[in-house]
Short mmCIF file of all heavy atoms in Angstrom, two decimals:
data_model
loop_
_atom_site.label_atom_id
_atom_site.label_comp_id
_atom_site.label_asym_id
_atom_site.label_seq_id
_atom_site.Cartn_x
_atom_site.Cartn_y
_atom_site.Cartn_z
N GLU A 45 -3.07 2.33 -4.37
CA GLU A 45 -2.02 2.52 -5.37
C GLU A 45 -2.18 1.52 -6.52
O GLU A 45 -2.56 0.38 -6.32
CB GLU A 45 -0.65 2.35 -4.66
CG GLU A 45 0.51 2.76 -5.50
CD GLU A 45 1.04 1.62 -6.36
OE1 GLU A 45 0.80 0.47 -6.00
OE2 GLU A 45 1.64 1.89 -7.40
N SER A 63 -18.61 -7.54 1.93
CA SER A 63 -19.20 -7.47 3.27
C SER A 63 -18.33 -6.57 4.18
O SER A 63 -18.86 -5.72 4.94
CB SER A 63 -19.33 -8.85 3.88
OG SER A 63 -19.76 -8.82 5.22
N LYS A 76 -16.28 6.79 15.77
CA LYS A 76 -14.97 7.37 15.54
C LYS A 76 -13.99 6.23 15.26
O LYS A 76 -13.79 5.36 16.09
CB LYS A 76 -14.51 8.11 16.83
CG LYS A 76 -13.11 8.74 16.70
CD LYS A 76 -13.07 9.90 15.65
CE LYS A 76 -11.77 10.56 15.62
NZ LYS A 76 -11.67 11.57 14.54
N ALA A 81 -10.24 7.75 7.07
CA ALA A 81 -10.64 6.86 5.97
C ALA A 81 -9.71 6.91 4.77
O ALA A 81 -9.41 5.92 4.16
CB ALA A 81 -12.08 7.16 5.57
N LEU A 96 8.61 -3.12 -3.40
CA LEU A 96 8.61 -3.75 -2.08
C LEU A 96 9.80 -4.66 -1.90
O LEU A 96 10.12 -5.45 -2.74
CB LEU A 96 7.29 -4.56 -1.97
CG LEU A 96 7.04 -5.28 -0.62
CD1 LEU A 96 5.59 -5.34 -0.41
CD2 LEU A 96 7.63 -6.67 -0.60
N PRO A 109 -6.07 9.11 19.88
CA PRO A 109 -6.19 10.33 18.98
C PRO A 109 -4.88 10.65 18.27
O PRO A 109 -3.84 10.69 18.92
CB PRO A 109 -6.62 11.41 19.96
CG PRO A 109 -7.20 10.74 21.15
CD PRO A 109 -6.47 9.43 21.28
N GLY A 110 -4.96 10.83 16.99
CA GLY A 110 -3.84 11.34 16.21
C GLY A 110 -2.70 10.39 15.97
O GLY A 110 -1.70 10.75 15.31
N GLY A 122 4.89 14.58 15.76
CA GLY A 122 4.42 15.31 16.92
C GLY A 122 3.69 14.47 17.95
O GLY A 122 3.31 15.00 19.00
N LEU A 159 6.88 -2.43 3.46
CA LEU A 159 5.43 -2.49 3.60
C LEU A 159 5.12 -2.62 5.12
O LEU A 159 5.37 -3.68 5.71
CB LEU A 159 4.81 -3.63 2.83
CG LEU A 159 3.25 -3.75 2.86
CD1 LEU A 159 2.64 -2.58 2.16
CD2 LEU A 159 2.83 -5.09 2.28
N LYS A 178 -13.57 -9.35 10.94
CA LYS A 178 -14.58 -8.77 10.05
C LYS A 178 -14.24 -8.96 8.57
O LYS A 178 -15.03 -8.60 7.69
CB LYS A 178 -14.75 -7.28 10.34
CG LYS A 178 -15.15 -6.94 11.77
CD LYS A 178 -16.52 -7.51 12.16
CE LYS A 178 -16.93 -7.09 13.57
NZ LYS A 178 -18.23 -7.65 13.91
N GLY A 179 -13.05 -9.50 8.32
CA GLY A 179 -12.59 -9.72 6.94
C GLY A 179 -11.23 -9.16 6.63
O GLY A 179 -10.60 -9.58 5.64
N GLY A 211 2.51 -15.63 9.26
CA GLY A 211 3.49 -15.83 8.18
C GLY A 211 4.03 -17.22 8.07
O GLY A 211 5.04 -17.45 7.42
N LEU A 222 12.31 -13.34 9.48
CA LEU A 222 12.94 -13.00 10.77
C LEU A 222 11.84 -12.97 11.84
O LEU A 222 10.94 -12.15 11.77
CB LEU A 222 13.66 -11.67 10.68
CG LEU A 222 14.80 -11.59 9.66
CD1 LEU A 222 15.34 -10.13 9.59
CD2 LEU A 222 15.91 -12.54 10.00
N SER A 224 10.80 -12.88 16.08
CA SER A 224 11.18 -12.70 17.48
C SER A 224 9.95 -12.40 18.26
O SER A 224 8.85 -12.24 17.71
CB SER A 224 12.20 -11.55 17.63
OG SER A 224 11.58 -10.28 17.65
N VAL A 250 21.53 -6.73 0.48
CA VAL A 250 22.81 -6.49 -0.24
C VAL A 250 23.30 -7.77 -0.92
O VAL A 250 23.74 -7.74 -2.06
CB VAL A 250 23.86 -5.93 0.72
CG1 VAL A 250 25.24 -5.88 0.08
CG2 VAL A 250 23.46 -4.51 1.14
N GLY A 253 21.69 -8.27 -4.20
CA GLY A 253 21.81 -7.19 -5.17
C GLY A 253 20.80 -6.08 -5.02
O GLY A 253 20.52 -5.37 -6.00
N TRP A 259 17.43 2.94 7.65
CA TRP A 259 16.47 2.92 8.69
C TRP A 259 16.42 4.26 9.45
O TRP A 259 17.40 4.93 9.56
CB TRP A 259 16.81 1.80 9.70
CG TRP A 259 16.81 0.45 9.11
CD1 TRP A 259 17.87 -0.35 8.83
CD2 TRP A 259 15.64 -0.35 8.74
NE1 TRP A 259 17.47 -1.55 8.29
CE2 TRP A 259 16.12 -1.57 8.26
CE3 TRP A 259 14.26 -0.12 8.78
CZ2 TRP A 259 15.25 -2.58 7.80
CZ3 TRP A 259 13.42 -1.09 8.34
CH2 TRP A 259 13.91 -2.33 7.85
#
Side-chain angles (χ1 to χ4, degrees):
E45 190 274 334
S63 175
K76 180 66 175 174
L96 183 150
L159 182 67
K178 302 296 184 181
L222 299 175
S224 82
V250 170
W259 299 107

